[in-house]
Amino acid sequence: MAGSNSQFETKVIHAGETSDAATGAVMPPIVTSTTFEWEALGQPREHIYTRSSNPTRDALERCVAELESGVRALAYASGQAASAGILDLLDAGSHVIAPLDFYGGTRRLFDQVRRRVGALDFTWVDMTDPAAVAAAIRPKTKLVWIETPTNPLLKVTDIAAIVAIARQHKVLTCVDNTFATPCLQRPLELGADIVMHSATKYFGGHSDVLGGINVVADAELGRQLHLLRSASGGVLGPFDSYLVLRGIKTLALRMERHCSNALAIAQHLEKHPRVARVYYPGLPAHPQHALAKRQMGSFGGIVCFEIRGDAAAVGGFLNRLQVFTVAESLGAVESLAGQPATMSHSSVPTDERRKMGIAENLIRLSVGIEGLQDLLADLDQALLTP
Ligand code: P1T
């Protein structure tokens, strides 16, 4: 068992006591059964129906709850389903403060779905400025949604400062912790109410499973989220729960390499003549570098940069890459590259995207765990460095 004082590297292996007590199997069985026999009428066992709970999903949830220092985790079919589950907590007419720059799919869910059918209202705020968050709070504000570092511009938000403001107004805070993972940052320890993850990224870690997870510090909030998830049904299946749990075993080891490779790449790009600007919280030039150093154990595996030139320069660079794969998503063992304007953030209308600060010449790298020299050489040849 991993005690609460264990090192994170130990916790990722042992958290949640996921081995099977009945057989001694070190990894939990994948329980595919959708339904569970009752002892007698009126006497269900621990599990009743897999939409409500399932032993394999429970094992994953116990593990992630412990990694995030929460009391309960709930796993969903995708990161988007997890985010939708949080919005389901809110009554019609509620107001949500969300970041100006964050994952385009979350923004689409908020702006194009929940504003319409859920009758929620949203204000986009630059969360690097806590005073701007305070100024945006209204009587109907019920939730502040934080994403830090943000996707794609890697802005860093002071979680404790925003939590302090939200608490004064009895407003919930949720942190999308996908980019940092609990390996680098644990928002519940800083007072946040909910941590949300796209488990598709670093948790799964191998680009082979889609999933989402919410973690809470309060049992009653966990009960409400569980009820809403059971009612709407967007749960993570047992096979996928197993894959995410398996991925987590190597999370600490992978993050170490993601972070060291990304820092070296950011430093290399910063000096590159074809690069106009680099975004990486680990660089002293990053506007929130001091905050990132304080709040995060390390700076993560995502590096963004603006290439000098127009759309043709972006296309030329991406098409020349050989080790990096041009694809959506992030957080897996292989290095990926993409253009947020036409990929991860294509669902955000062009003028809104520009307001977010996402230029057409912005390139996002999800730095994998390959050998650093191969990655640097690939970037150099694609940037046409002689
Ligand atoms: O793809 P899904 O598992 O539904 O997760 C959505 C999501 C939520 N939060 C963040 C910070 C994310 O980056 C994502 C998914 N992002 C991509 C697919 C992408 O290419 O940026």
Side-chain angles (χ1 to χ4, degrees):
M1 183 191 164
S4 56
N5 293 327
S6 302
Q7 289 177 276
F8 193 80
E9 292 81 351
T10 309
K11 280 192 179 179
V12 288
I13 312 292
H14 299 287
E17 295 186 64
T18 56
S19 58
D20 183 35
T23 62
V26 170
M27 285 301 281
I30 303 172
V31 178
T32 56
S33 190
T34 51
T35 192
F36 299 84
E37 186 182 15
W38 292 43
E39 302 271 13
L41 191 61
Q43 290 178 42
R45 295 174 209 241
E46 183 185 352
H47 302 283
I48 296 175
Y49 186 60
T50 279
R51 172 151 46 72
S52 282
S53 73
N54 168 281
T56 317
R57 192 168 64 233
D58 274 16
L60 168 67
E61 292 173 344
R62 283 198 307 277
C63 169
V64 177
E66 198 173 324
L67 295 182
E68 282 286 7
S69 304
V71 299
R72 185 164 189 185
L74 294 141
Y76 297 76
S78 67
Q80 288 307 102
S83 299
I86 295 166
L87 297 186
D88 284 344
L89 289 165
L90 307 178
D91 293 335
S94 298
H95 173 245
V96 178
I97 298 174
L100 191 57
D101 156 50
F102 69 144
Y103 172 53
T106 315
R107 182 165 167 136
R108 175 173 57 182
L109 169 69
F110 287 13
D111 204 28
Q112 296 177 38
V113 183
R114 292 308 177 105
R115 201 190 276 282
R116 189 172 53 82
V117 301
L120 300 178
D121 200 4
F122 298 90
T123 303
W124 320 120
V125 171
D126 177 359
M127 294 219 179
T128 61
D129 178 11
V133 175
I137 290 185
R138 303 180 196 162
K140 291 209 160 175
T141 305
K142 298 291 177 212
L143 175 69
V144 179
W145 187 279
I146 300 168
E147 186 181 283
T148 182
T150 60
N151 179 2
L153 294 174
L154 301 163
K155 290 184 184 166
V156 180
T157 296
D158 187 336
I159 298 170
I162 306 289
V163 164
I165 294 164
R167 279 194 176 164
Q168 276 172 22
H169 298 271
K170 297 196 165 39
V171 169
L172 289 176
T173 42
C174 168
V175 178
D176 183 334
N177 205 25
T178 300
F179 272 32
T181 83
C183 189
L184 309 183
Q185 166 177 290
R186 287 182 289 283
L188 297 183
E189 292 178 5
L190 300 172
D193 297 294
I194 307 171
V195 162
M196 177 263 151
H197 279 279
S198 168
T200 315
K201 317 300 183 210
Y202 291 105
F203 278 176
H206 296 75
S207 298
D208 58 2
V209 59
L210 197 70
I213 302 185
N214 290 328
V215 195
V216 291
D218 173 65
E220 172 53 23
L221 194 54
R223 194 195 61 77
Q224 288 174 30
L225 281 174
H226 178 254
L227 182 134
L228 293 164
R229 189 192 61 175
S230 297
S232 54
V235 294
L236 193 66
F239 286 102
D240 291 345
S241 298
Y242 175 81
L243 279 176
V244 175
L245 188 61
R246 184 165 77 152
I248 288 173
K249 303 278 175 190
T250 55
L251 177 68
L253 203 53
R254 284 184 283 109
M255 288 311 286
E256 219 176 284
R257 179 67 79 88
H258 284 299
C259 292
S260 63
N261 275 354
L263 178 62
I265 285 173
Q267 288 166 340
H268 183 74
L269 292 173
E270 208 179 22
K271 293 185 293 235
H272 202 285
R274 287 213 62 212
V275 171
R277 182 169 175 186
V278 181
Y279 299 81
Y280 188 67
L283 295 176
H286 186 284
Q288 295 96 41
H289 176 62
L291 168 62
K293 256 170 92 171
R294 194 171 77 232
Q295 185 165 272
M296 304 173 71
S298 186
F299 306 105
I302 310 297
V303 178
C304 291
F305 68 98
E306 285 164 10
I307 192 167
R308 287 193 200 282
D310 53 13
V314 175
F317 167 77
L318 290 176
N319 293 335
R320 279 189 292 274
L321 288 169
Q322 286 167 12
V323 181
F324 282 80
T325 303
V326 177
E328 298 249 2
S329 202
L330 57 102
V333 289
E334 70 282 330
S335 291
L336 302 180
Q339 181 190 33
T342 58
M343 296 171 75
S344 57
H345 290 68
S346 60
S347 63
V348 183
T350 307
D351 55 329
E352 295 288 309
R353 206 170 53 236
R354 291 197 176 128
K355 271 191 230 158
M356 289 163 86
I358 301 171
E360 265 71 17
N361 64 343
L362 182 76
I363 290 166
R364 189 184 75 187
L365 303 177
S366 171
V367 178
I369 64 169
E370 300 96 332
L372 176 61
Q373 296 314 320
D374 289 333
L375 296 178
L376 290 172
D378 193 34
L379 292 171
D380 275 350
Q381 66 77 24
L383 284 165
L384 299 176
T385 309

